[in-house]
């Protein structure tokens, strides 16, 4: 390979540095100014505040929905409990009424023949009549 010097090629101008980029001016325009940076920071700050507000609102809304759901389930439970315990209350009332009726009958019988019962109990206890049970064999 042959290397030819620029002087030998017949170029009138020796090689120089490349001229400055035509885009250099555009690049300096793209560099944000302090004012633009402040505006961008304000926009970012507003976005953060908005996001924080949305999160707080969502949290409070969720808490509200949870409370409403809890109240609804409490009402359903109370209704269910009321329906199922009312049957027990009725059964208890019926049982109490039956017991009261039977107690009243016992008291009436006790008033009518209480003296006879006491006398009969005393007589049986005081008069002892020993008897041999039928199962026991008589001595031979």
């Amino acid at each position: 390979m042959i290397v030819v010097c620029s002087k030998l090629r017949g170029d009138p101008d020796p090689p120089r540095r490349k001229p400055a980029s035509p885009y250099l001016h555009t690049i300096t325009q793209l560099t944000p100014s302090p004012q633009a940076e402040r505006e961008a920071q304000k926009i970012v700050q507003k976005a953060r505040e908005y996001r924080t507000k949305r999160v707080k609102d969502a949290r409070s809304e969720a808490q509200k929905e949870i409370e409403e759901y809890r109240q609804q389930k409490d009402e359903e439970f109370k209704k269910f409990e009321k329906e199922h315990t009312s049957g027990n209350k009725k059964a208890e009332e019926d049982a109490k009424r039956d017991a009261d009726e039977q107690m009243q009958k016992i008291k009436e019988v006790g008033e009518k023949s209480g003296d006879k019962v006491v006398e009969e109990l005393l007589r049986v206890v005081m008069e002892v009549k020993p008897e041999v049970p039928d199962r026991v064999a008589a001595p031979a």
Side-chain angles (χ1 to χ4, degrees):
M1 179 168 166
I2 301 174
V3 178
V4 178
C5 181
S6 64
K7 291 182 183 179
L8 297 176
R9 280 189 297 162
D11 289 337
D13 293 323
R16 296 184 194 158
R17 286 185 175 174
K18 290 187 175 183
S21 170
Y23 302 109
L24 184 61
H25 181 64
T26 308
I27 292 173
T28 57
Q29 286 179 346
L30 293 178
T31 305
S33 66
Q35 182 181 4
E37 285 183 17
R38 282 191 296 264
E39 288 178 17
Q41 286 177 350
K42 287 179 183 178
I43 291 170
V44 169
Q45 182 64 28
K46 285 182 182 180
R48 285 182 182 152
E49 290 172 0
Y50 179 71
R51 185 184 71 209
T52 304
K53 182 178 180 267
R54 278 190 6 213
V55 168
K56 286 180 182 178
D57 291 346
R59 186 175 290 137
S60 65
E61 187 68 28
Q63 189 65 30
K64 183 179 175 183
E65 288 178 12
I66 289 170
E67 189 61 34
E68 288 174 0
Y69 182 75
R70 181 178 289 137
Q71 288 176 354
Q72 176 188 359
K73 289 301 177 182
D74 283 344
E75 290 172 6
E76 288 177 12
F77 175 73
K78 287 177 183 177
K79 182 180 177 183
F80 176 81
E81 190 178 43
K82 184 178 179 182
E83 289 175 359
H84 289 82
T85 57
S86 65
N88 291 341
K89 287 182 181 180
K90 186 177 180 187
E92 287 176 10
E93 290 173 1
D94 291 344
K96 184 178 179 186
R97 187 172 38 251
D98 290 343
D100 289 343
E101 289 175 3
Q102 290 194 7
M103 286 297 294
Q104 186 63 31
K105 288 180 185 177
I106 292 172
K107 285 181 182 179
E108 288 174 4
V109 169
E111 287 176 5
K112 288 181 183 176
S113 59
D115 293 335
K116 285 184 182 179
V117 171
V118 170
E119 287 177 18
E120 187 67 27
L121 281 172
L122 287 174
R123 184 184 62 77
V124 171
V125 170
M126 297 305 233
E127 295 178 15
V128 179
K129 294 182 184 176
E131 295 180 7
V132 178
D134 295 335
R135 291 185 278 163
V136 177

